[in-house]
Amino acid sequence: MALVNLSFAACGFLGIYHLGVVAALLRHGDKLLDSLRACAGASAGALVAAVVVTAPDKLEHCKEFTYRFANNVRKQKLGALSPGYDFMLELRDGMEEILPPDAHLLANKCLHVSITHFKTGKNRMVSSFTTREDLIKVLLASSFVPVYAGMKPVEFQGQKWIDGGFTDGLPVLPTGRTITVSPFSGPQDICPHHPIGSVQPHIRLPNMTLKFSWDNIKRLDRALFPAPLPRMQALHEEGFADAVRFLRTGGWMR
C-alpha cells in the first residue's frame, strides 16, 4: 500500500477540530495509520501533528488542555492581547506536560513543521530535532503570531521565527500522498462540508484555499478569539464525524 502523510492546517483555537479528526483516526483509521509515513502542519496544526507522532496516548489530555487554554484566553479582558497575560508561556507549559522526554527522537524526520523567518518572510520546513528543547522552540515559533502572542519572535538556531501559517499554512510533503486536514470548508481531504450554492468563490491563503462563506469567516475569527466551550466541543465532534466520512468514502475503514 502506498505511503501517506497527514497535514494539519494552521487554525489557532480551531485546532480542537484537528483533535477530533485524530480521535477518529485512532479509533477507526488503523488501515490509514499503518501506511502513515509522516505528519506535517503549521501553527496549531503543527502542535496536533506533533501529538500524533510523539504522544497519541495523550490525546484526551490535549483536548482538556485546549479547552482550559481557550477558557483562560476568554477570561482576559482583551483576550490574548490583555496586558500581563503570557500566551506563549501557557502554550509552552502545555507542551511540557504533553510531550514525552524522547519526543525529539520520535519526531525526527517524521514531523515537518512550517515556520516563517521574521526578517525575510521566507518559509522553512523543519524536520530535524536535536533535542526536546529544539522541538519545543520550533513548535512555539510555528504558533507565534506577532502582537497577538507577544512582541518577541521565537529564537531558533540563532534566528527569529514566527507563525508558519503566514507562508505555508497547510504543507504538502514531496514524497507520498499528503492527506490534508482543515477546520475550514474547502477542497481539503478532511474538512467541513458547508453548501453555499452553485457559485463558490474562494479565499486564498498561503498554500491553503477556503470557500468564501459566512461560516468560514466566523471560523477565522474564532481561530484567535476562541468560542465558548459548547461550541468548541461541537467543533471536536465535527472533526470526528468528518474524519469518519473520509475514511468510509476513501476505503480506509477496516
Side-chain angles (χ1 to χ4, degrees):
M1 186 175 293
L3 296 180
V4 299
N5 311 298
L6 282 172
S7 183
F8 298 90
C11 61
F13 282 101
L14 298 185
I16 193 66
Y17 175 95
H18 289 333
L19 294 177
V21 169
V22 174
L25 297 181
L26 292 176
R27 184 176 299 181
H28 302 294
D30 286 354
K31 189 175 177 182
L32 186 154
L33 295 177
D34 287 346
S35 302
L36 186 63
R37 187 189 71 89
C39 288
S43 196
L47 300 175
V48 173
V51 171
V52 175
V53 170
T54 71
D57 59 313
K58 295 284 190 71
L59 190 63
E60 189 66 22
H61 189 147
C62 293
K63 183 176 73 171
E64 294 307 317
F65 168 74
T66 303
Y67 290 151
R68 186 170 69 249
F69 191 8
N71 183 58
N72 288 342
V73 170
R74 281 195 303 270
K75 288 193 299 186
Q76 308 301 317
K77 188 173 182 180
L78 299 175
L81 297 166
S82 299
Y85 177 69
D86 195 331
F87 179 93
M88 295 300 282
L89 178 61
E90 185 158 3
L91 179 56
R92 184 186 182 103
D93 286 347
M95 291 186 203
E96 294 284 4
E97 290 177 14
I98 293 164
L99 296 177
D102 62 345
H104 59 294
L105 300 176
L106 296 169
N108 204 46
K109 306 302 181 184
C110 295
L111 175 66
H112 299 255
V113 180
S114 173
I115 58 177
T116 302
H117 194 273
F118 179 60
K119 289 186 177 180
T120 67
K122 293 184 177 180
N123 182 264
R124 178 179 171 187
M125 293 295 297
V126 182
S127 59
S128 296
F129 310 96
T130 305
T131 65
R132 183 173 181 271
E133 178 63 17
D134 277 351
L135 173 60
I136 288 174
K137 283 184 177 179
V138 170
L139 292 172
L140 286 172
S142 189
S143 302
F144 181 81
V145 177
V147 182
Y148 176 85
M151 301 305 295
K152 294 182 179 180
V154 177
E155 289 197 19
F156 171 64
Q157 295 183 342
Q159 300 187 63
K160 295 179 179 180
W161 304 88
I162 60 174
D163 197 306
F166 288 121
T167 48
D168 189 348
L170 188 57
V172 174
L173 301 182
T175 303
R177 177 192 173 188
T178 297
I179 296 169
T180 53
V181 184
S182 172
F184 303 103
S185 181
Q188 286 71 43
D189 294 303
I190 303 176
C191 70
H193 288 187
H194 297 150
I196 60 173
S198 57
V199 179
Q200 298 187 344
H202 290 81
I203 303 170
R204 300 198 180 277
L205 303 176
N207 203 33
M208 184 166 57
T209 300
L210 320 179
K211 288 181 181 178
F212 184 78
S213 67
W214 180 239
D215 190 84
N216 273 345
I217 291 172
K218 288 189 292 184
R219 289 183 182 223
L220 286 168
D221 177 70
R222 291 304 193 185
L224 296 181
F225 301 95
L229 178 59
R231 178 56 184 147
M232 292 196 70
Q233 292 171 327
L235 285 166
H236 184 271
E237 293 172 3
E238 184 179 27
F240 190 100
D242 289 342
V244 168
R245 181 175 63 244
F246 170 79
L247 291 171
R248 284 177 176 156
T249 58
W252 292 103
M253 297 281 279
R254 288 203 185 278

